[in-house]
């Protein structure tokens, strides 16, 4: 199921013992375009504290009741390492968090989530791989690719033949937690129209200039099927979208 990032900011984060937090940000890595952490404000039960929670801890998304249930107690969350969301999150800090919650390291292996495509519980074979990785990490700090989705909100989209619109939202897959699409607002050219662009079509991101380069033409974006927030994104819509752009769908790989 594909979900709007802006939509889930309304959802509460529910611990296994009934405490509720508030989702503040989503962090993704710019290599796999996958959400790695939810930044959660622990709200009334731990005022002023923000923590990182991985999709590995999520039991399910309840869209009807606008809640994200996690398999952690409030005590486990309270005891997690402190984080300063105003500063870049280092790989060392990620390792501390993952060790605290016994989460496998997503960056160990060839898949989006270590050895596979989906976030999964810690497995015995992960121990050997991660022990080896810990030794190499002690010698040299791994490069970190974490970014906040809110950081990219408003970035200008540059097609192969010029600028057209800006990033308004993201669409992610709630099973893999991959960011599948940008929601692009083209109101400067087409008042009110929003369209989707796959993250797979990104060729470059200029962080200082706040621009995203994609390998499609302005005309294709201008004539793309319109995206409407309140309408579910069906596979038929995705097929029509990829056919329009002349691209192969991610589900065929």
């Amino acid at each position: 199921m594909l979900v709007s990032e802006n939509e889930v900011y309304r959802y509460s984060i529910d611990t296994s013992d009934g405490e509720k937090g508030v989702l503040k940000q989503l962090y993704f890595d710019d290599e796999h375009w996958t959400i790695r952490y939810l930044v959660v404000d622990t709200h009334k039960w731990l005022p002023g504290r923000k923590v990182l929670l991985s999709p590995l801890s999520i039991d399910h998304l309840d869209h009807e009741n606008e809640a994200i249930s996690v398999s952690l107690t409030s005590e486990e969350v309270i005891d997690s390492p402190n984080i300063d969301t105003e500063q870049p999150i280092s790989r060392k800090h990620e390792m501390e968090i993952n060790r605290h919650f016994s989460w496998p390291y997503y960056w160990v292996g060839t898949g989006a989530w270590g050895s596979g495509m989906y976030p999964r519980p810690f497995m015995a074979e992960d121990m050997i791989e991660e022990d080896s990785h810990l030794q190499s990490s002690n010698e040299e700090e791994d490069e970190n690719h974490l970014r906040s989705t809110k950081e990219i909100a408003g970035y200008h989209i540059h097609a192969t033949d010029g600028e057209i619109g800006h990033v308004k939202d993201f669409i992610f897959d709630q099973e893999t937690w991959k960011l599948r699409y940008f929601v692009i607002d083209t109101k400067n050219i087409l008042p009110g129209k929003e369209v989707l662009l796959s993250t797979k079509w990104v060729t470059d991101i200029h962080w200082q200039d706040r621009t995203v380069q994609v390998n499609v033409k302005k005309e294709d974006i201008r004539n793309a099927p319109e995206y409407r927030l309140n309408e579910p994104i069906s596979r038929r819509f995705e097929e029509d979208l990829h056919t329009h752009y002349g691209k192969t769908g991610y589900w065929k790989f």
Side-chain angles (χ1 to χ4, degrees):
M1 181 175 178
L2 296 177
V3 182
S4 160
E5 174 206 0
N6 286 338
E7 185 177 2
V8 297
Y9 281 124
R10 302 198 307 263
Y11 291 21
S12 64
I13 308 295
D14 298 353
T15 64
S16 60
D17 54 348
E19 296 290 357
K20 292 182 179 292
V22 177
L23 179 63
K24 304 300 289 187
Q25 291 188 66
L26 297 174
Y27 278 102
F28 73 100
D29 78 73
D30 58 12
E31 287 188 311
H32 291 282
W33 288 96
T34 300
I35 295 170
R36 300 305 182 186
Y37 301 104
L38 293 75
V39 180
V40 178
D41 188 331
T42 48
H43 209 39
K44 296 180 180 179
W45 51 286
L46 197 60
R49 175 84 184 276
K50 293 184 176 66
V51 297
L52 292 183
L53 297 182
S54 167
L56 290 159
S57 66
I58 294 175
D59 277 338
H60 67 277
L61 274 69
D62 184 344
H63 298 292
E64 182 177 351
N65 295 307
E66 299 188 341
I68 300 175
S69 297
V70 297
S71 58
L72 302 170
T73 66
S74 56
E75 183 176 356
E76 287 178 301
V77 176
I78 289 172
D79 291 339
S80 66
N82 289 322
I83 176 176
D84 182 357
T85 56
E86 300 302 318
Q87 300 295 325
I89 300 170
S90 68
R91 181 52 53 81
K92 180 180 179 180
H93 193 89
E94 285 191 90
M95 292 169 69
E96 291 175 356
I97 294 170
N98 280 258
R99 283 198 297 265
H100 171 76
F101 288 114
S102 296
W103 295 331
Y105 300 140
Y106 65 81
W107 58 88
V108 178
T110 58
W113 287 97
S115 59
M117 292 177 55
Y118 301 90
R120 62 179 176 78
F122 190 87
M123 304 293 285
E125 59 267 24
D126 294 321
M127 184 71 75
I128 298 175
E129 293 183 8
E130 295 188 10
D131 283 346
S132 174
H133 184 76
L134 276 172
Q135 294 176 7
S136 63
S137 294
N138 288 333
E139 297 174 1
E140 182 178 355
E141 180 78 2
D142 289 347
E143 184 179 359
N144 193 286
H145 293 270
L146 291 180
R147 301 280 182 174
S148 168
T149 51
K150 286 190 174 182
E151 177 185 353
I152 300 184
Y155 273 33
H156 298 284
I157 296 294
H158 282 239
T160 56
D161 53 350
E163 181 180 337
I164 179 167
H166 63 273
V167 179
K168 183 176 181 180
D169 194 2
F170 278 103
I171 303 296
F172 69 91
D173 184 326
Q174 73 172 54
E175 298 297 327
T176 63
W177 286 82
K178 287 185 72 70
L179 295 171
R180 294 295 184 192
Y181 301 103
F182 295 99
V183 177
I184 307 303
D185 189 340
T186 62
K187 66 181 180 182
N188 293 334
I189 299 171
L190 301 170
K193 183 173 181 179
E194 295 177 2
V195 298
L196 299 185
L197 284 174
S198 171
T199 55
K200 294 177 69 67
W201 307 337
V202 174
T203 57
D204 202 1
I205 299 180
H206 300 282
W207 304 105
Q208 291 185 336
D209 296 337
R210 296 178 56 83
T211 60
V212 179
Q213 186 76 42
V214 293
N215 63 344
V216 296
K217 295 180 179 179
K218 289 171 60 176
E219 188 67 19
D220 290 335
I221 298 174
R222 184 178 293 114
N223 296 320
E226 183 173 3
Y227 164 73
R228 295 182 175 86
L229 175 61
N230 295 325
E231 295 181 8
I233 300 174
S234 65
R235 179 50 53 85
R236 176 61 183 272
F237 180 89
E238 290 188 276
E239 290 173 345
D240 290 345
L241 182 73
H242 282 73
T243 298
H244 169 77
Y245 285 113
K247 306 289 187 181
T248 302
Y250 62 85
W251 55 88
K252 294 184 179 180
F253 290 94

